[in-house]
Amino acid sequence: MEKHILSKSTFIRGLQCSKSLYLYKNFIQLRDKISFEQQAVFNRGNKVGILAQKLFPGGVDASKVKRSDYTAAVSRTTELIKSGVEVIYEAAFQHNKVLVILDILVKNTPNNFPDKSHWDDEWYAYEVKSSTKISHTYLLDASLQYWVITNSGLLLSDMSLITINNKYIRNGEVKLNELFSFTSVKNEVIRNQPKIEENISVSKKVLEQLQIPKIEIGEQCFSPYSCDFMGTCWKLVPANSIFEITGMQKSEQFNLYHSGYKTISEIPEQNNLDKNVNIHVQSFKKGSPMIDTKAISTFLDKAQYPLFFMDFETFMPAVPIYNNTKPYQHIPFQYSLHYKKSTDSKLEHSYFLAEQGQDPRKLFLENLLKDTENIGSILVYDALMERNVLNGLKKDFPEFSHEIDLRLKRFVDLMQPFQERSYYHPLMKNSHSIKNLLHALIPELSYTNLQISNGSMAMVAFEQLQTETDMFKILETRENLEKYCELDTLAMVKVFEILEKEVK
Ligand code: SF4
């Protein structure tokens, strides 16, 4: 069998951008380093895929041959089918130099799973996604699999996507047939077959070319996935380009770019851009912050000393770990609190970081309520998540509802003056995230030297702790989590002090 030239991932890559496909196949060394977040999504997908295999126990893994030897995996799949194996994991098929690896292939699966009373003699294909929704890309991916499998000679009675059911609430052992949802996509994939055939031939022609396709940067660089050749294609984009204006529609950015307005300084005074974008453009051109002291003073009046500066970290396991939780529910595991009794008093700090291996919610809540029982405003930066977490905890622990409501009433969102542009610094780049704010106002308080430097990393780190057994790694991760969360609230204190200075 000839070596494949397209696979499921390279096919999807080619649909996104033929240059990306060409670079991937011919200049892989130019590929950007995979980000921590992308790796985490990839690992989660693998874990969910392995768990979903248990829906069809007793199967044989066709990929368990020589590593990365796909030809051997295809032969082994054929042998397994011929020898009567009824459940095959990682079943590999190849047709016309296109390779696909299907998560689960099952013979005789009844349509009314798990009732086994209506078994027939046909094959059913299942592709597992760790997402809760079916995207257009998933349908294309399933359509390609259907094309390869059926053209290889195996008739499929049905093709389904297995996704996570976000309504499932864990109670005791995980019930796999409730955690996962099955959606037949056979009709859609059959409708897509001509399109798949056409795109396979387009991609093959791209790969026969002797030169890199001439494709300009565009919206395709971000959709459906962030392209991993941006380091190559985007290197000629100048500093302070219009792409540095966060929150702008990509289509708007590319319209400007392709009309010759490549940098923020080149944007004309008269334009149709949004009010906040124009605030950024003006502030950038002036090179100084725009400050509305009256609005800041009104905001500061809301914050009554003593002040608490509070930040939560949560994690969102795809498969619920604790009873009475849903897939992807925000589970709070850590908070940091800085406390200032008065303008000139010494800053105090307290925090909570849950022990791994146990449901953190109740202890988190009890400690938080105790640490915030004094009077005073509770400053939170972008309070939405903290509010949602506390409202969720009210449902989980109704006995604390009253106390939680008392804390919620004391919330003051420190993001407000920045979101409303009462204080705007050009380095905020039209964003009011705490990270951008810190970079603009207090660059010396940087996250770059921290091992855990953003919320996604904190989420993954705590989730990994649940199964970590190496004591040194546990201690190191806990220390990194503490440093990260503490910096978040210390940053809020400093930001608040800057606002106070402005109105003095
Ligand atoms: S960065 Fe954009 S133009 Fe370059 S390969 Fe990727 S999608 Fe294509």
Side-chain angles (χ1 to χ4, degrees):
M1 189 190 302
E2 281 184 287
K3 192 176 177 310
H4 70 277
I5 51 176
L6 277 178
S7 67
K8 197 174 72 176
S9 62
T10 49
F11 174 77
I12 297 292
R13 187 180 278 276
L15 288 182
Q16 178 168 352
C17 174
S18 47
K19 184 176 178 184
S20 170
L21 171 65
Y22 194 91
L23 290 174
Y24 184 85
K25 294 294 270 187
N26 297 292
F27 298 96
I28 189 73
Q29 70 279 11
L30 297 178
R31 194 179 176 200
D32 303 334
K33 211 173 141 220
I34 188 160
S35 74
F36 182 84
E37 285 83 359
Q38 286 166 324
Q39 188 61 50
V41 171
F42 184 68
N43 294 346
R44 184 177 68 207
N46 280 346
K47 273 196 202 162
V48 169
I50 289 169
L51 184 67
Q53 290 179 349
K54 293 189 181 159
L55 286 162
F56 304 95
V60 181
D61 189 336
S63 70
K64 289 271 163 19
V65 274
K66 219 168 118 201
R67 198 175 145 77
S68 298
D69 185 348
Y70 297 113
T71 313
V74 173
S75 306
R76 182 162 150 86
T77 303
T78 312
E79 281 161 25
L80 291 172
I81 291 172
K82 280 188 186 156
S83 64
V85 172
E86 295 195 338
V87 177
I88 304 172
Y89 309 134
E90 306 293 318
F93 296 88
Q94 187 169 317
H95 175 69
N96 226 348
K97 297 195 191 169
V98 185
L99 170 86
V100 294
I101 296 175
L102 176 77
D103 287 328
I104 307 169
L105 179 70
V106 183
K107 192 179 178 187
N108 292 333
T109 301
N111 292 330
N112 52 345
F113 175 87
D115 171 9
K116 297 188 175 178
S117 59
H118 297 92
W119 281 31
D120 49 36
D121 279 329
E122 292 167 351
W123 288 94
Y124 295 77
Y126 298 92
E127 186 64 11
V128 184
K129 303 290 174 195
S130 57
S131 167
T132 57
K133 291 199 182 99
I134 294 179
S135 69
H136 178 62
T137 307
Y138 292 168
L139 288 176
L140 290 173
D141 157 339
S143 304
L144 178 77
Q145 296 199 331
Y146 188 88
W147 186 86
V148 174
I149 297 172
T150 53
N151 279 301
S152 303
L154 190 76
L155 276 181
L156 287 180
S157 289
D158 203 357
M159 167 111 213
S160 300
L161 291 179
I162 299 179
T163 49
I164 301 264
N165 167 21
N166 59 2
K167 304 253 169 5
Y168 169 68
I169 297 175
R170 180 168 183 166
N171 192 1
E173 285 299 303
V174 173
K175 295 195 176 85
L176 293 181
N177 53 347
E178 290 178 21
L179 169 69
F180 289 110
S181 296
F182 290 71
T183 310
S184 168
V185 291
K186 191 179 175 192
N187 292 340
E188 289 91 330
V189 301
I190 289 177
R191 252 198 318 275
N192 282 340
Q193 293 305 287
K195 190 165 148 191
I196 294 294
E197 184 131 5
E198 191 187 317
N199 282 302
I200 288 173
S201 90
V202 170
S203 289
K204 283 182 177 173
K205 283 200 185 100
V206 166
L207 293 175
E208 281 163 15
Q209 291 174 22
L210 299 175
Q211 282 183 343
I212 300 173
K214 287 192 175 32
I215 292 184
E216 293 245 4
I217 58 168
E219 286 180 66
Q220 82 281 357
C221 301
F222 302 93
S223 173
Y225 305 110
S226 246
C227 180
D228 45 11
F229 286 102
M230 288 180 69
T232 300
C233 298
W234 284 65
K235 66 177 172 225
L236 294 180
V237 172
N240 302 316
S241 80
I242 45 110
F243 298 111
E244 291 187 20
I245 309 178
T246 357
M248 236 175 118
Q249 295 276 343
K250 289 276 176 271
S251 55
E252 230 170 5
Q253 290 179 326
F254 282 106
N255 278 343
L256 280 173
Y257 191 76
H258 294 309
S259 315
Y261 303 116
K262 293 197 164 34
T263 61
I264 302 168
S265 329
E266 289 165 346
I267 297 179
E269 288 295 310
Q270 294 300 318
N271 59 56
N272 295 325
L273 300 173
D274 153 279
K275 181 174 147 251
N276 284 340
V277 172
N278 271 309
I279 291 177
H280 175 66
V281 173
Q282 284 163 27
S283 159
F284 180 85
K285 286 184 181 175
K286 267 176 45 191
S288 57
M290 294 166 81
I291 299 164
D292 178 346
T293 43
K294 195 162 165 252
I296 294 174
S297 174
T298 310
F299 167 77
L300 289 177
D301 287 345
K302 289 198 229 170
Q304 299 297 317
Y305 278 94
L307 296 179
F308 293 84
F309 297 84
M310 183 177 85
D311 182 57
F312 294 173
E313 297 304 327
T314 63
F315 77 127
M316 302 160 65
V319 179
I321 302 177
Y322 314 115
N323 276 341
N324 199 24
T325 61
K326 292 195 291 188
Y328 294 110
Q329 179 174 328
H330 279 281
I331 309 285
F333 64 86
Q334 180 178 21
Y335 66 76
S336 170
L337 264 177
H338 272 97
Y339 177 74
K340 240 182 136 178
K341 205 165 176 192
S342 64
T343 330
D344 305 317
S345 64
K346 206 173 134 254
L347 194 59
E348 292 171 41
H349 182 246
S350 58
Y351 74 95
F352 171 83
L353 175 56
E355 291 299 323
Q356 56 280 5
Q358 51 182 263
D359 186 344
R361 289 173 296 167
K362 194 165 184 205
L363 268 179
F364 171 96
L365 184 56
E366 285 172 345
N367 279 275
L368 183 79
L369 293 176
K370 190 162 182 309
D371 280 346
T372 51
E373 64 192 355
N374 278 354
I375 52 155
S377 297
I378 301 175
L379 284 135
V380 186
Y381 198 91
D382 191 359
L384 185 68
M385 193 267 276
E386 276 78 3
R387 274 191 196 283
N388 285 345
V389 165
L390 287 178
N391 281 321
L393 290 173
K394 267 177 16 185
K395 286 190 199 125
D396 295 334
F397 306 102
E399 66 275 25
F400 294 110
S401 280
H402 177 66
E403 281 295 310
I404 292 175
D405 279 336
L406 291 177
R407 303 302 184 277
L408 285 170
K409 278 187 195 144
R410 289 161 52 199
F411 267 33
V412 176
D413 197 335
L414 182 56
M415 188 171 77
Q416 190 196 328
F418 302 98
Q419 189 174 28
E420 292 174 354
R421 306 303 195 260
S422 311
Y423 191 115
Y424 190 77
H425 190 290
L427 286 179
M428 285 163 64
K429 300 185 176 179
N430 198 32
S431 155
H432 41 264
S433 79
I434 188 88
K435 308 282 180 295
N436 278 26
L437 199 59
L438 213 57
H439 174 60
L441 305 187
I442 323 149
E444 62 278 14
L445 268 193
S446 167
Y447 287 80
T448 45
N449 295 329
L450 297 182
Q451 293 295 317
I452 292 175
S453 57
N454 61 48
S456 311
M457 291 176 94
M459 268 186 196
V460 175
F462 189 74
E463 191 162 354
Q464 281 172 352
L465 272 189
Q466 305 312 303
T467 46
E468 185 58 71
T469 49
D470 182 331
M471 194 39 89
F472 290 107
K473 274 199 188 145
I474 292 174
L475 290 173
E476 193 187 349
T477 305
R478 293 182 65 84
E479 197 181 314
N480 290 333
L481 282 166
E482 283 163 22
K483 280 186 192 158
Y484 166 66
C485 198
E486 182 173 354
L487 185 59
D488 263 347
T489 50
L490 181 62
M492 288 165 60
V493 175
K494 300 289 175 199
V495 165
F496 190 82
E497 286 172 356
I498 287 176
L499 293 181
E500 282 182 319
K501 263 189 216 147
E502 285 302 334
V503 295
K504 256 183 195 165

